[in-house]
Structures are given as C-alpha cells and as structure tokens.
C-alpha cells in the first residue's frame, strides 16, 4: 500500500502548499481521495497516470477538498478518456458537476457514475474481491465522511521449493494454488498449508478530514494500520477548533490512541503556522507513532 500526499493544507492553495488531495495505491487500484484546487497539477508533478484513476472519493463539498474535481473531470475528457469514472461523495456532488458541464456545453464522452452519500452511519461504498471501502461519518460544518480502505485476505501462494522437494509435478501446481492437498504416489497426503505460503496480512487505511473531535468514530477505525487524521490547530488555538469543527493535533492523537492504530499521520494544517513540526511535538505527548504529512510526501506501508 502506498499513500502519496498531493496536498494537506487547509483553506487556500498557496505557492508552496496545496489543499487536500491524496492517492492511495492499494491492490492495483489508484484511489484518489479528495480533490482540492490544483490536484491535477499535483498528479502531473508526481507522474501519476490519469488513466489509472477510476475511483474518486470526496469527503465533503468545501472548496479545499472539492474544487479541483470539475477541472479534473474536464481534463479527463480532453485526454480522450473512455473508461467509466466512479465518484463517491455527498449528495449534491452530481448536480454541481453536471451544472458546470451543462453550462459549458462540455459533457464528458466517458461515463461519470456518481455514488451520492447521505447516510449518517458508516456504509460500504465499494467492494471487490481484494478491497473494500466504507465511510466514516465525521463531524464538520457540512455533511462529511472519511473513508476506510481495507485489503481483504489474499490467497495462499505456492512454495515451489517444498513442492519440488516432494517431487510434485508442475501440472499439480494449479491444484495447490486452488487450496487442494496432494496425494503422493506412495500414498502420503501432503497438506496444502505445507505446500503454500501464508497470504500477506491485509492492511487498512483510514482517512479522516475534516472533523471536530469525534470519539464515536473509534469503533469504526479500531486497530487500523494507518490513520490520517486532520489536525488543523495547535493547542494555542484549541478554542477555535470546536467552533470551526476542526481538530487539534492532540485531539487527533487521542483518537489514534483510543483506536489503537498502528501509525498516525497528521495533516490539514492551518496555513497560519510557519512550521508544522509543533504538530508532531504536541501529538507525540499523547500518542507515540506520529508522522507528518506534507505535500509530495510518500508513505509506503
Ligand atoms: Zn478542509
Ligand atoms: Zn471543510
């Protein structure tokens, strides 16, 4: 699993910082999460192929998470995209994008499939045989969801060395991959688990931005490997956080601790701060494993 941070600052795009957007590579998918203004430029900068993105998850309809989407949708058209594009986001997202396309008489020549969200509970929004994506209802000034991405347990893989040591012929390898035991010519049964490697332990990633401190998300994100949680403010501005429905670094750390996550990544920093290091310092007082997101940073799990 690889996470590329395209932007992780609050409010407005600036010369050196970008609003929220990130790409999660998980089991051959390239999931785009949020799409602040400038996202398509950031995609190009990081050499992420536009054609590899087939699913876009939008947390909420504030500009710093969403204003890059109309531009990206339009660019896909100019690039001659034909594959379907699935967009998951709050109700209203379809109307807003379609209105812009209609006014510009520039409908897409590929199919845009909107999956509009309205539930206040966590719901499954995407699933295939390798991954699932569920919403994480958040507490913000408008209807907002985070997203929980989970790998599924993969299949066992053939241990060629052990198979060869028993003199098993190649034509039986597919049976072994399919989970079958093997009966040797001398009548001995070799169990499948001896002939295969355990599948890798599935990983999970939770994206939570924007939100006020909301401990009732803890059961949803319990034990995730990686939690990205917004931390717009430091302690000095703690009083503003609940009013604007954002979190402090310490609140993000508290959520991480309660949920027993493997690693916390902070982001969505207010642009009032000259340095983001104090976010790590404050969060680390509560939770040990803290990393700071920054534009262009990649995390491989
Ligand atoms: Zn925001
Ligand atoms: Zn917001």
């Amino acid at each position: 699993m690889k996470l590329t941070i395209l932007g992780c600052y609050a409010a407005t795009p600036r010369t050196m910082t970008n609003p929220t957007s990130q790409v999660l590579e998980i089991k051959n998918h390239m999931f785009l999460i949020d799409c602040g203004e400038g996202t398509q430029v950031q995609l190009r900068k990081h050499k992420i192929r536009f054609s590899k993105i087939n699913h876009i998850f939008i947390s909420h309809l504030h500009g710093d998470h969403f204003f890059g989407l109309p531009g990206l949708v339009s660019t896909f058209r100019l690039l001659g995209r034909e594959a379907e594009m699935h967009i998951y986001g709050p109700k209203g997202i379809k109307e807003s994008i379609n209105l812009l396309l209609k006014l510009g008489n520039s409908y897409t020549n590929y199919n845009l499939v909107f999956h509009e969200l309205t539930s206040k509970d966590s719901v499954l929004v995407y699933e295939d045989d390798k991954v699932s994506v569920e919403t994480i209802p958040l507490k913000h000034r408008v209807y907002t969801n985070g997203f929980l991405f989970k790998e599924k347990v993969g299949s066992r893989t053939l241990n060629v060395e052990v198979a060869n040591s028993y003199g098993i012929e190649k034509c039986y390898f597919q049976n072994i991959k399919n989970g079958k035991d093997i009966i040797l010519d001398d009548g001995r049964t070799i169990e499948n688990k001896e002939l295969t490697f355990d599948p890798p332990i599935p990983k999970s990633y939770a994206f939570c931005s924007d939100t006020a401190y909301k401990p009732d998300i803890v059961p949803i994100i319990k034990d995730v490997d990686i939690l990205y949680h917004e931390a717009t403010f430091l302690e000095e501005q703690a009083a503003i956080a609940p009013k604007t429905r954002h979190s402090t670094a310490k609140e993000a750390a508290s959520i991480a601790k309660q949920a027993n996550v493997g690693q916390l990544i902070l982001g969505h920093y207010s642009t009032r701060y000259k340095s983001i290091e104090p976010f790590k310092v404050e969060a680390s007082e509560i939770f040990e494993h803290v990393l700071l997101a920054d534009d262009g940073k990649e995390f491989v799990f």
Side-chain angles (χ1 to χ4, degrees):
M1 203 189 300
K2 181 175 159 192
L3 180 70
T4 303
I5 307 292
L6 302 177
C8 65
Y9 287 78
T12 65
R14 304 182 301 171
T15 48
M16 300 301 283
T17 67
N18 296 274
T20 302
S21 185
Q22 43 186 253
V23 174
L24 181 70
E25 283 183 61
I26 175 172
K27 297 278 181 190
N28 292 329
H29 286 294
M30 283 275 203
F31 288 146
L32 182 66
I33 308 167
D34 276 352
C35 193
E37 200 178 330
T39 293
Q40 54 176 314
V41 179
Q42 287 295 88
L43 286 169
R44 287 191 193 276
K45 249 190 205 168
H46 297 286
K47 299 191 168 35
I48 294 168
R49 296 224 328 256
F50 284 38
S51 60
K52 287 205 152 186
I53 298 168
N54 295 314
H55 301 270
I56 302 175
F57 299 86
I58 301 291
S59 62
H60 65 301
L61 299 183
H62 278 159
D64 58 329
H65 297 255
F66 164 63
F67 281 0
L69 188 60
L72 187 60
V73 163
S74 166
T75 296
F76 283 137
R77 181 177 73 93
L78 296 172
L79 294 175
R81 183 187 177 97
E82 289 178 359
E84 272 188 355
M85 172 61 73
H86 294 265
I87 297 175
Y88 308 79
K91 187 167 173 54
I93 195 166
K94 179 178 178 179
E95 188 188 350
S96 62
I97 296 291
N98 280 347
L99 177 64
L100 292 174
L101 297 178
K102 184 178 139 196
L103 294 175
N105 192 24
S106 54
Y107 286 106
T108 61
N109 40 3
Y110 59 94
N111 204 5
L112 264 181
V113 186
F114 290 94
H115 305 261
E116 293 199 310
L117 306 171
T118 53
S119 177
K120 286 183 176 150
D121 300 318
S122 175
V123 291
L124 181 74
V125 291
Y126 177 79
E127 186 172 33
D128 61 26
D129 57 344
K130 293 199 170 70
V131 294
S132 67
V133 187
E134 294 158 49
T135 58
I136 307 167
L138 299 174
K139 184 179 172 184
H140 195 41
R141 302 194 302 278
V142 292
Y143 177 72
T144 304
N145 288 293
F147 297 99
L148 172 61
F149 302 85
K150 288 199 282 196
E151 292 179 349
K152 293 187 178 177
V153 183
S155 41
R156 303 182 69 83
T157 48
L158 177 69
N159 186 336
V160 179
E161 218 172 286
V162 173
N164 285 340
S165 74
Y166 283 111
I168 297 169
E169 287 179 40
K170 274 189 184 158
C171 59
Y172 294 107
F173 283 5
Q174 192 55 48
N175 282 351
I176 297 172
K177 287 179 191 167
N178 292 344
K180 298 242 168 65
D181 295 340
I182 294 290
I183 300 168
L184 301 179
D185 292 344
D186 63 10
R188 279 184 295 159
T189 299
I190 310 300
E191 283 188 35
N192 186 268
K193 69 174 183 211
E194 198 184 333
L195 298 166
T196 51
F197 293 110
D198 288 340
I201 296 165
K203 299 210 174 78
S204 53
Y205 171 66
F207 168 85
C208 294
S209 183
D210 299 356
T211 187
Y213 177 66
K214 189 172 187 256
D216 60 6
I217 65 170
V218 167
I220 303 170
I221 60 170
K222 192 88 186 152
D223 299 326
V224 294
D225 295 292
I226 314 295
L227 167 66
Y228 175 96
H229 196 290
E230 75 127 287
T232 307
F233 299 110
L234 294 169
E235 274 310 285
E236 214 183 328
Q237 284 72 35
I240 316 173
K243 282 184 209 154
T244 54
R245 303 268 173 118
H246 283 299
S247 301
T248 63
K250 279 194 171 178
E251 286 170 335
S254 169
I255 295 288
K257 190 178 179 185
Q258 292 171 64
N260 189 40
V261 310
Q263 188 78 57
L264 170 65
I265 300 176
L266 297 177
H268 200 269
Y269 320 108
S270 164
T271 49
R272 76 186 64 210
Y273 301 109
K274 293 225 159 36
S275 163
I276 57 174
E277 279 306 315
F279 284 88
K280 186 170 182 176
V281 173
E282 291 193 358
S284 300
E285 287 173 27
I286 291 176
F287 184 73
E288 206 182 339
H289 310 289
V290 183
L291 295 170
L292 294 176
D294 209 349
D295 297 8
K297 227 180 195 178
E298 293 176 352
F299 300 93
V300 179
F301 312 115

